[in-house]
Structure formats: structure tokens, C-alpha cells
Amino acid sequence: MSELFFLPNWPAQADQIPWYAVLLLAALLAGEAASRMRLPRVLGWILAGTALGPSGLDILDLATLGGLNRLLEISVGLILFELGQRVDMHWLRRNPWLLATSLLESSLAFAAIFGVLLMTGSTPLLAATAAAIGIATGPAVVLTLVKQLRSQGQVSERMLAFTSLNNAYAFVLWSVLFAWLHAEYRGGWIEVAAHPLYLIFGSLALAGLLAAVTLALLTALGRRTDAQFVCLIALVVLSVSAASVLKVSVVLTLLAYGTLTRAFDRDRRFVSLDFGRTGQILVMLLFGITAAGLDLSLLPAGAAAAGGLIAARYAGKTLGIFALARPSGLTLRKASLLSLGLMPMSGVALIMARETSASYPELGPALVTVVLSAIVMLELLGPLLAHFAIVRAGEAAEEA
């Protein structure tokens, strides 16, 4: 044994370094720098992740990012649960034009993306899958900006409601398309019929069970803010793990979990839904990990199709929102801002694209090239557009 055995080994092993802490610190500094330039902090977090990832300095390599996948899922779960909590079913019942607008903007976005991708040479199956994924607005971007800007008003509230709804539509369509994927690549009738149904109804059943357990625990704990905070964090983590074990969708489970918990909470057992500093840390890591995992080398090959997807997506959503703006009680000016606010696209789309790629390697490379190229473009553009929409709508308070 060396006489200097007590000194640390150098260089240090990669798994001895808490990379999530390095990423968090870099995101914090980049976010503050962006804020001082009057840009959204989200943009700084994204740039920090991109710089540290394989497409940047390669400090966070693919193996390291793989080890952070569960943290990514928990962060997405937290965002989706909170977004689901913000869906006001009474508002949708009072103004049915809101639901009609949401359905129309999502349907037209799907049709426009599908048509454009067909024209650029994609197969019908690839075009339909990418179009289903493309319906979804990035929930983390919208929710984070609304909270940071402390915004209130028609544009902000509709951004939250439409984001929640179009994520649900995207997942249901994506699940239904699994039947087409099974028929195309595997052909087993049991898989064709049963898998989409299991994904949708299994996710909803798990969400309903979690909502019932949550409300029972909140009744037992009472209206103590600290106890409710710990309870909800624990339940969101457990729900992500349960969805993974049962092989249902984390996205639909957590979104429905939040929505059903609010809908069934007639006695208002929630004191308040504020994940505070813990939630802020997880959101920063979500943006950082997502950005670090993007492969910028795909951009040259997928830029044309991705550009078409983005343009079609914007056109479809804008047309749908404008068509029903007046009946739903929205001015055309605010309708134009709302359509910009729905442009972000990131975490949920990335998860669906990667799950499809993992299940169907035959389709995976082409799908990932198109969808990830679109996400790369909208990672920077989306937060800026949504920030602009909220500010120009006059709904942003001064940032805390």
C-alpha cells in the first residue's frame, strides 16, 4: 500500500461527480444572466444544458444523461400534475367554445403537419406519428413562464388550459397510432387492439386511483401546508414509478392525476399547490437535461421537414384559434398572441418520440430526426414567443 493512500485518486471517476449539481449551478447562472438581459430565465437554463451536453462541451455525456432519466421523468411528472391541477372544468362547462377551440386548433395542427410532411416525402405512418406528437405544446415552458411572470388574464389562462388539453389529445392520438404501428411492423391482432386501449385506459385508471388516495391522505393530514407539500411530492414520485412499472403513460397518468384530483376535491382540501423551491430545482433540471440530450447533429438532415412541421403547426393552431375567437370571447389581437404562446414544444414531445423510437427501431431514426430537429428549433424560439405573447397581452406582473 502506498504511503499516500489517504490522498484522493485523480482524475476522479465520472460517477463520483454529482452531475445534477453541476447542471443546476450552470442553469442558475445562465438563467440569471438571461434575466438581466430581459430574456426569460428558461432560455438560460436551455442554453446551459445545451452547452454541457454531447452537442456542446460534452461534459454531460450520453451515459451520464441516461443516469438522469428518472430525474427527468419526475420533473415532467411534477409539471404535468400541476398543469392538470390548473384545468378548471367549471370554466370549460360555462364556455363550451373553449373546448371547441382547443379541439379545432389541435385538429387543424394535426392535419397541417400531416399534409406538409407527406409533401416533403415522409411516409403516411411517419407523418401521422409526427403530427400527433406535434399537437402538444411544451407544458414546462408555458407553466414556468406564467409562474415567473405572475401573469393573469385571458391569454395566460387559455395558454394553460389549451396546453393541458392538447397534451391529452396528443397522447390519445399517439396511442391510437400504435395500432397502425403494430399492424405495419408486427401484425399481431392482440397487440393491434389491446395495446392502445391499455395505454389509454390503464393510465386513466391509475390516475383515478392516485387521485382517490391523494384526497384521502389530504383529509387525514388536514390543511397543513407543510404536510401537504411532503405528501404531494412523495405521491408524484410514486406515480411516476407506478406508471413505469405498469408500462402505462407517465404523461397521461400525471396529467389526468392532477385534473381528477382537482375535479374530485369538492371540499377544497388542498390548501395551495405550490411546490416552492423544490419544484423550482426540478424544473431547472428538466430544462437542462432535456436540452443536454438534444442531438444537434440531426438538424442538417431534418431541418427542411422540421421547418415545415413548425410552420404547419403554427398555421393550424392559429387558424383554429382565430376561427372561434369571437364566440369564445377573445379579441383577434389576443387570439394572435395566444397562437404564439402555444408554440413551445419540448419535454413531452421528446418523451413520446423516444418511446416510439425504442419500440419501433424501423420508424425510429426518421421520426427522431424530424421531431428532434423541430424541438431543437423551438427550444430557443418557443420560450421567446410565449414570453412575448404574455408580455404584449399586458398580463405579466413584474418578475419576482
Side-chain angles (χ1 to χ4, degrees):
M1 180 182 295
S2 170
E3 294 179 355
L4 301 178
F5 69 90
F6 54 86
L7 294 178
N9 295 324
W10 192 260
Q13 297 296 313
D15 58 2
Q16 294 174 333
I17 300 174
W19 291 113
Y20 57 88
V22 175
L23 179 58
L24 183 62
L25 183 59
L28 173 65
L29 295 174
E32 290 307 307
S35 179
R36 291 180 185 182
M37 292 186 286
R38 297 188 178 276
L39 296 171
R41 284 189 174 89
V42 172
L43 191 61
W45 303 344
I46 292 168
L47 290 173
T50 304
L52 293 177
S55 296
L57 301 174
D58 200 22
I59 295 173
L60 300 176
D61 58 20
L62 292 176
T64 302
L65 290 172
L68 297 175
N69 274 343
R70 182 46 58 92
L71 190 59
L72 175 65
E73 289 183 347
I74 292 171
S75 302
V76 170
L78 196 70
I79 286 286
L80 290 169
F81 177 82
E82 187 170 355
L83 185 65
Q85 272 282 305
R86 288 173 175 259
V87 176
D88 187 349
M89 302 303 293
H90 296 293
W91 186 31
L92 295 177
R93 283 196 290 267
R94 288 194 308 271
N95 188 351
W97 288 108
L98 291 173
L99 183 58
T101 304
S102 172
L103 284 166
L104 185 59
E105 63 92 359
S106 297
S107 299
L108 291 178
F110 177 89
I113 295 170
F114 181 74
V116 166
L117 290 182
L118 282 181
M119 287 189 292
T120 59
S122 298
T123 64
L125 183 53
L126 171 60
T129 306
I133 295 171
I135 288 174
T137 299
V141 176
V142 171
L143 185 57
T144 301
L145 287 174
V146 167
K147 291 172 69 175
Q148 284 186 347
L149 295 171
R150 295 183 294 164
S151 60
Q152 292 182 329
Q154 283 194 327
V155 172
S156 302
E157 293 304 317
R158 291 180 193 225
M159 280 172 61
L160 290 169
F162 288 2
T163 297
S164 179
L165 291 169
N166 64 37
N167 272 271
Y169 305 151
F171 176 78
V172 171
L173 272 173
W174 176 74
S175 300
V176 170
L177 284 170
F178 264 80
W180 189 357
L181 287 164
H182 289 320
E184 182 75 17
Y185 295 117
R186 294 180 183 172
W189 68 268
I190 295 178
E191 290 178 329
V192 170
H195 190 199
L197 293 175
Y198 177 73
L199 280 174
I200 296 170
F201 292 104
S203 300
L204 293 176
L206 177 58
L209 176 62
L210 289 165
V213 170
T214 300
L215 293 176
L217 287 173
L218 293 182
T219 301
L221 291 170
R223 297 176 62 83
R224 287 175 47 215
T225 304
D226 56 343
Q228 290 196 5
F229 171 80
V230 174
C231 177
L232 287 172
I233 288 289
L235 285 170
V236 168
V237 173
L238 287 173
S239 64
V240 170
S241 297
S244 298
V245 169
L246 295 174
K247 294 186 178 181
V248 295
S249 168
V250 173
V251 174
L252 186 59
T253 297
L254 271 295
L255 192 58
Y257 175 26
T259 304
L260 293 175
T261 302
R262 172 169 178 166
F264 296 157
D265 188 18
R266 296 185 177 90
D267 298 328
R268 307 312 300 165
R269 280 163 278 190
F270 268 121
V271 176
S272 64
L273 184 66
D274 184 5
F275 289 114
R277 292 185 178 89
T278 300
Q280 177 79 348
I281 290 170
L282 288 174
V283 169
M284 291 170 68
L285 289 172
L286 166 62
F287 282 104
I289 295 169
T290 301
L294 294 178
D295 186 355
L296 300 186
S297 66
L298 295 173
L299 195 54
L309 185 155
I310 293 169
R313 184 173 181 264
Y314 175 69
K317 288 182 177 293
T318 301
L319 183 58
I321 292 168
F322 267 75
L324 298 179
R326 295 293 191 188
S328 68
L330 195 66
T331 66
L332 293 181
R333 177 179 176 274
K334 289 193 173 182
S336 66
L337 294 173
L338 177 58
S339 62
L340 290 176
L342 294 178
M343 284 307 290
M345 178 180 170
S346 56
V348 170
L350 183 64
I351 288 173
M352 288 194 286
R354 285 180 173 170
E355 287 186 6
T356 307
S357 178
S359 300
Y360 296 96
E362 304 92 339
L363 182 69
L367 178 68
V368 167
T369 299
V370 174
V371 174
L372 260 65
S373 296
I375 292 173
V376 168
M377 295 178 182
L378 289 175
E379 274 285 276
L380 301 179
L381 187 60
L384 290 173
L385 292 174
H387 185 275
F388 173 82
I390 293 171
V391 173
R392 287 303 297 268
E395 299 178 3
E398 186 178 350
E399 275 198 66

